[in-house]
Structures are given as C-alpha cells and as structure tokens.
Amino acid sequence: MKFSVESRPSSTGSGDLLVLPYLDEKPLAHPAVQALLKKLGPTPLKLLKKEEFKGEAGDSRAFAAQGKLPFDYVLFMGLGTAKKLNLETLRKAAAKSAQTADRMKVKKMVSLLPLALDKKASAQEAGQAYAEGVVLGLYRFEKYKSKKEKDGNLREVRYVVGDAKAAKAFSTGHRAGEHIAQGVNYARDLVNTPARDKPPEFLGREAKKTRGVRTKVFNHRQLQRLGMGALYGVGMGSPNPPVFVEMHYRPRGRVKKRVAIVGKGITFDSGGLSLKPAKSMETMKDDMSGAATILAVMKLLPALKLPVEVYGYVASAENMPDGGAQRPGDVVKAYNGKTIEVLNTDAEGRLALADALSYLTKHRKVDYIIDVATLTGAALVALGDLYSAALGTDPDLIKMLKDCGEECGEKIWELPLAEEYAEEMKSQVADIQNIGGPYGGTINGALFLKNFVAEKAKWVHLDIAGPSWANKPWAYAPKGGTGIMVRTFLRLFSKF
Ligand code: BES
Ligand code: ZN
Ligand code: ZN
C-alpha cells in the first residue's frame, strides 16, 4: 500500500474514490470540502437529507461522481459530533472508508478526513490513528485458503491535510501507525494460526527470529532442570514440549524505566484431563494471545526507539490429555519453590505464568511487571468481550494502563485483588492449589499469580480472555485473533 500526504487542501488531485468528512450532521465546513461539493452539484446532499443521513460515527454513503469530479465515487464519511470526536473515531472512520474502498474495487482513495481534525488531536496522533485504522481494518487471514480473495484492491491512499506543518507531523505519525499496526497484524497471524502449526517450540523460533533483541529459549529439559515444575507439568500431556522464552530489549540511550512483560502462551488449551466441552475448545488456539502480544511488542520496539528497557517473557506449553498428562491432585513445584496442588488441569495458564513471574522476580530488577493472559472464562462473564480485566498491586500503573487502553480503543476495567478470597486457594497437601471457589474466578486467578511476584513489586495482571478474540467482525478487527494490548503497551512505554 502506498500512502501520501497532500498539504494543500485545494489540490485533491484525482482517484477512484473521494472521502469527505461529515461532522455534526453536515459536510465539513472547510472551504476545500465546500468547493468540491459545489462542483458535485446539489443532488447528493438533497438525497442525504431525504434519507435523514446524520453521519453518525461510522455511518457512510457513497454516490457516483458522474463526471463532475475527477473521481468515480464520493463517500460521505460520518464522524459523529465534534464534541465526541476522538482518536478512536478517526481510527474507525479510516477503517470503514478503506474497507468500503476495498469492497468497491477502488485502487486509489483520496481522503479529506484529516481536515476534520482541527485542534481535537495533534496531527501526529491523527496520522497514527488513520494508519492504524487502515492497516488493521484491511487485515485478512488467508494463509489457509486455497483460493485467496483477490489480494486487496486498494493500492494507494492519499490524505489531504490542512497545511505543510500538519502534513509533516501527520506523515510521521502515519509511519509509526503503519509500523505498529503491522505488528498487531503479526500478533493476529500468530493467534489465528491453527494450534497444530504453532507448537511451543514454534513460538520459541519466532522469538529467536526477532531482530534487535537478545533472546534466550529454554527447552523442556532445561526448564525441568531449572525447576520450572509448574510450566513443565502443563506440557506433560502433549507430544509438543513446552518452552520458556526470555527476550531483552535495551535502548541505546538513556533508560527511563525498566519493564517486564509476560505472556501466557498455551498454544492449545484442551483443558487437559479436566477436559473442556467441545464448544469451549473451538477457539482455544487463541490461548497464546498473551504470548503473541509479547512477541509483537518485542518485534516493534527496536524501530520505535523508546527510552524503556523491556524484558519480554513467553511461557508456552500445549495443554493436552495424553497418558503422560498431569492429573487432578498432582503436586508440582514452581521456580520460586512454592508447591501447587493441581486440582483442575484446565487452570493451566496460571501454572505457566507462575514460573515466568518467579524467574523474572529472582533474576531481573524492573520498575514494573505486567502479565497478559487469556486466563479465565470468568473475565468474559464479568466484563464481556470488550473489556480486559486489570488486577494488581499498583494503582498508578493500573490507571496508566486504563488511560492508554482508552486512547487505543482497547478498554480496560479494574477488578479488586481481594485478599479475603485467597483463603479459598489454600491446599490440604501443598502450599496452594490452582483453583478457588466457584465465584470471582478472575480475582482468584490474579490472587494465585500474586504468589509469584515480590511483596513490593509493582505488578498488574491483564486478563484478556474476552478481547483477545473477536466472535464477530467489528470496526477494525475481523473475526478471530485481535492482537489486543500491543498498542496499549507501546503507548504506555511512550509515556514513561
Ligand atoms: N484458557 C482458559 C480461559 C478462557 C476461557 C479463555 C474462555 C478464553 C475464553 C483457561 O485456561 C481456563 O480454562 N480457565 C478456567 C479456570 C477454572 C478451571 C478455574 C475457566 O475459566 O473455566
Ligand atoms: Zn484452561
Ligand atoms: Zn487456558
């Protein structure tokens, strides 16, 4: 895809599709838009009025330009009201116009949407949001289709921006947005790949391939020798052995903060001997979404040159029920020495993370620890599939994550890390057990993890069981893996 930015609003040039912003129930008052409307003639506007087209955010109407403009079509793109206009509106509008263009077999689209910006967002932020909308919105996973849908029709997008200074900032933001969105799409590819083709060792190889970061992959023998009995146990029922991955990015210049990010990498979660019902298993190739987020973030970091030192961890296993599988009632020992009674083999994510958190707690000194995991179905029950749950020991970090998530369109909601419930996770035979009572499952999961970080650690656990997977397509994510939290993490790092 070719992107370019025009800084003279009066030179829209030509193309197949012209996109005009519709704000506060009318076409944008900008002189460039008005001049084009004049050429187009009164009919489209009359029809829009008759249809009672309000131009709500995401709503759009296309008309033939009928030779009145050097375009085949004009698309009126709703941006809602100026009062509510934000980065997420821009992202959604960019995605919608690109998707519409693609469906209409448009090759070149010229978009005047950036003119609606005004002082709502910096031109750089807007450029980034538009790029994210277009690149994420056009994502498809077609590797396994024998007949590819005709590989993208849209070839070129030209933006018309207010002036030269804005154009420069817009371009800078756009380049960053393209880069980041490609990283998100990489995470989506990993999640959408069938479990059969992405065993834990495959994730290890992906980590090794990442340029600009130092990567260590511990194979199953090494992690057994190291004493990562919890992660090892999860992998025992599968012919595909577990791996533990440590990645390290160190920026050239000054380091403002040190962060460890940890991802759950269960490449398939059958439940193990505590087998899941068939329906619940259908999407369980997505149980490595946390790991996909870590791999994508680490891959993106070197080019972004942010002043943060980042340790990325992937704890990966396949949770299967063969004859070697761990049994309900088995006891395993985690890397920090705590013993765990595995009462339910389907609560395996916390076992995998226990060793990763213990390892980094023992060996690395960081300011913040964030883990990201499709940990509990209970998170879906509590918050639906739009919100990720956040639980942790540091209210400031939770607040920062919530704010960054909001700006990225990746919503986060805090749940209490209620110590009172920890009682339920005491075991008869071991130090702790891996399940609590029937209620508050997401809280229980987080309380379990808390056993593996230091008392004073600033740690947040993100349960992405809902948003990691789109059950139906929405604004800029098709059905399937979403690559959630990649953008939120990078935004957080850019604010340190
Ligand atoms: N991977 C699942 C959680 C999950 C469920 C993610 C639905 C996405 C959608 C996790 O390993 C799991 O099975 N958790 C159990 C925990 C229970 C046994 C305490 C659950 O949520 O039922
Ligand atoms: Zn499970
Ligand atoms: Zn799981």
Side-chain angles (χ1 to χ4, degrees), residues 264 266 269 284 287 346 348-349 374-375:
K264 168 176 173 180
I266 302 302
D269 184 9
M284 279 303 134
D287 214 19
D346 197 11
E348 84 298 337
T374 46
L375 208 72

Side-chain angles (χ1 to χ4, degrees), residues 339-354:
T339 56
I340 306 163
E341 186 185 10
V342 181
L343 284 179
N344 190 319
T345 63
D346 197 11
E348 84 298 337
R350 61 198 71 183
L351 297 171
L353 292 176

Side-chain angles (χ1 to χ4, degrees), residues 234-377:
V234 177
M236 285 197 325
S238 166
N240 302 312
V243 302
F244 174 62
V245 179
E246 180 180 52
M247 303 169 86
H248 181 204
Y249 167 72
R250 222 188 122 97
R252 272 174 195 283
R254 201 164 79 88
V255 169
K256 279 206 197 150
K257 286 276 188 271
R258 287 179 166 165
V259 192
I261 53 176
V262 187
K264 168 176 173 180
I266 302 302
T267 57
F268 186 74
D269 184 9
S270 71
L273 285 173
S274 312
L275 199 66
K276 284 184 185 294
K279 261 283 160 214
S280 316
M281 241 187 259
E282 280 178 9
T283 57
M284 279 303 134
K285 66 175 181 184
D286 94 329
D287 214 19
M288 40 60 76
S289 294
T293 298
I294 304 304
L295 289 171
V297 168
M298 298 312 289
K299 190 177 163 118
L300 290 170
L301 274 174
L304 292 172
K305 301 197 162 57
L306 300 168
V308 278
E309 183 170 358
V310 184
Y311 290 95
Y313 296 91
V314 167
S316 182
E318 186 177 40
N319 191 22
M320 296 288 270
D322 79 11
Q326 63 180 345
R327 311 145 190 85
D330 279 356
V331 174
V332 296
K333 191 190 264 185
Y335 188 72
N336 70 349
K338 286 199 184 171
T339 56
I340 306 163
E341 186 185 10
V342 181
L343 284 179
N344 190 319
T345 63
D346 197 11
E348 84 298 337
R350 61 198 71 183
L351 297 171
L353 292 176
D355 281 335
L357 292 169
S358 306
Y359 181 90
L360 80 91
T361 295
K362 178 159 178 211
H363 297 284
R364 310 292 169 208
K365 210 176 136 23
V366 292
D367 299 299
Y368 298 119
I369 302 170
I370 308 168
D371 75 74
V372 53
T374 46
L375 208 72
T376 63

Side-chain angles (χ1 to χ4, degrees), residues 15 70 73 81 86 142 167 246 281 301 307 378 389 391 402 424 436 476:
Y73 302 100
T81 61
N86 59 24
E142 296 193 313
E246 180 180 52
M281 241 187 259
L301 274 174
L391 306 95
K402 276 184 74 171
E424 295 174 6
Y476 49 85

